[in-house]
Amino acid sequence: MNDDVQRLPVVTDQDVVRVRQLVRTVAVAVKLSLVDQTKLVTAASELARNTLVYGGGGEAEVSRVHNDRRAGIRIVFADQGPGIADLDLALTDGYTTGGGLGLGLSGARRLVDEFEIDTEPGKGTTITVVKWCR
Amino acid sequence: MERVPVLKIGEILLVSIQIDMEDQVALQLQEDLAERIVATGVRGVIIDISALDIVDSFVGRTLATIASVSRVLDAETVVVGMRPAVAITLVELGLSLPGIRTALNVDLGIAMLARQDEDIDLLGDEDDTDQVAEPTP
């Protein structure tokens, strides 16, 4: 069950900033703690940059979610880029194909409560993360 | 594109990042700082990140690169003002910022730079012992 779905394109550097700002706004609205807001916005920044740099651009979808116990935020990053051939390797700390630190994907996973990757070489990548209020 | 101002105060370059930086803005800051270090000959750089509500791996890497580049140019960098939630998140992200010196605020950052370079009057205060005596007419 969810409501308030907001979508943003992720095509430029400036879009990555907009994703951060939207996630921050929604994180405050669902009353995540300050540390959890910071973790989620940081994870969103890493994943939005991945969508831009590795996926060749795509879209971010931010929604408020709740189950019977808690409220939370779900963010979906989707691109139609080259996909990830070796997911285990891509999730290894320090592995990078883009000249970065190799912490974006593995680090983002540590910062959220739920993390799901759907990827296929040649078809693109969709990453879904959820952070719940404690 | 926005630009982060670099201020020279005494023998220090002071940068206070007040905006949510696009990646290009962070790279521009890296270049601007290297140029200003060479142009001014300062020995210390302070980067105030107290206004930043996140530091992701890109900004973290940029700070590390700035610190390395300034060291090669004979200047020490101190990153000051990191928020507690940012510190917790950075460590969990896996970024421990090796090679970056940190201090809690600008004052402590200046003190840190002053200690490591005691011969140099970082704030440019007059100090008789450092002055070359002018010949009296």
Side-chain angles (χ1 to χ4, degrees):
Chain A
M1 188 174 161
N2 64 322
D3 48 306
D4 296 333
V5 179
Q6 288 176 273
R7 288 189 178 80
L8 284 176
V10 183
V11 182
T12 66
D13 265 5
Q14 187 61 44
D15 292 335
V16 176
V17 175
R18 288 195 190 97
V19 170
R20 287 202 287 261
Q21 288 165 350
L22 174 62
V23 171
R24 166 72 67 181
T25 305
V26 179
V28 170
V30 305
K31 299 190 168 66
L32 283 186
S33 74
L34 181 59
V35 170
D36 283 344
Q37 286 172 31
T38 306
K39 288 181 180 178
L40 183 63
V41 176
T42 305
S45 184
E46 300 294 342
L47 296 173
R49 185 177 295 104
N50 282 357
T51 298
L52 177 64
V53 174
Y54 300 98
E59 195 185 59
E61 184 190 283
V62 182
S63 45
R64 295 172 69 159
V65 291
H66 35 93
N67 58 23
D68 43 357
R69 291 189 303 126
R70 293 184 295 185
I73 304 179
R74 179 172 60 213
I75 318 172
V76 180
F77 296 90
D79 66 62
Q80 275 80 53
I84 301 170
D86 188 336
L87 201 50
D88 286 341
L89 191 57
L91 281 166
T92 306
D93 268 353
Y95 176 77
T96 180
T97 58
L101 294 170
L103 290 173
L105 210 51
S106 53
R109 181 161 71 163
R110 282 192 291 270
L111 295 174
V112 295
D113 296 320
E114 294 173 26
F115 184 93
E116 245 182 63
I117 299 189
D118 184 9
T119 184
E120 199 179 324
K123 294 269 174 64
T125 301
T126 299
I127 297 182
T128 305
V129 300
V130 180
K131 189 91 181 162
W132 295 106
C133 289
R134 274 184 274 174
Chain B
M1 193 177 74
E2 289 179 283
R3 218 165 169 146
V4 178
V6 179
L7 308 177
K8 180 172 179 293
I9 299 175
E11 292 304 311
I12 289 174
L13 292 181
L14 176 64
V15 178
S16 184
I17 303 172
Q18 299 285 331
I19 53 169
D20 190 341
M21 291 187 294
E22 286 174 46
D23 292 358
Q24 283 304 318
V25 176
L27 293 176
Q28 184 67 50
L29 172 61
Q30 189 179 306
E31 286 177 27
D32 289 349
L33 260 177
E35 275 171 25
R36 289 293 298 279
I37 289 168
V38 171
T40 59
V42 298
R43 304 288 304 280
V45 176
I46 289 184
I47 302 177
D48 171 33
I49 60 166
S50 58
L52 291 189
D53 53 22
I54 69 155
V55 171
D56 63 13
S57 66
F58 189 86
V59 171
R61 177 167 58 134
T62 305
L63 292 174
T65 306
I66 286 173
S68 304
V69 170
S70 25
R71 194 163 300 136
V72 171
L73 297 174
D74 198 22
E76 272 300 313
T77 300
V78 183
V79 172
V80 306
M82 186 183 294
R83 298 182 183 184
V86 170
I88 292 168
T89 301
L90 263 184
V91 170
E92 199 156 329
L93 184 64
L95 210 59
S96 51
L97 301 181
I100 295 191
R101 307 180 64 183
T102 56
L104 289 183
N105 57 43
V106 173
D107 281 341
L108 292 171
I110 290 173
M112 184 182 271
L113 289 173
R115 271 200 306 280
Q116 56 122 41
D117 215 348
E118 282 177 332
D119 294 340
I120 293 184
D121 233 334
L122 283 166
L123 288 174
D125 293 337
E126 295 294 314
D127 186 341
D128 295 339
T129 56
D130 289 341
Q131 303 287 313
V132 176
E134 293 282 334
T136 44

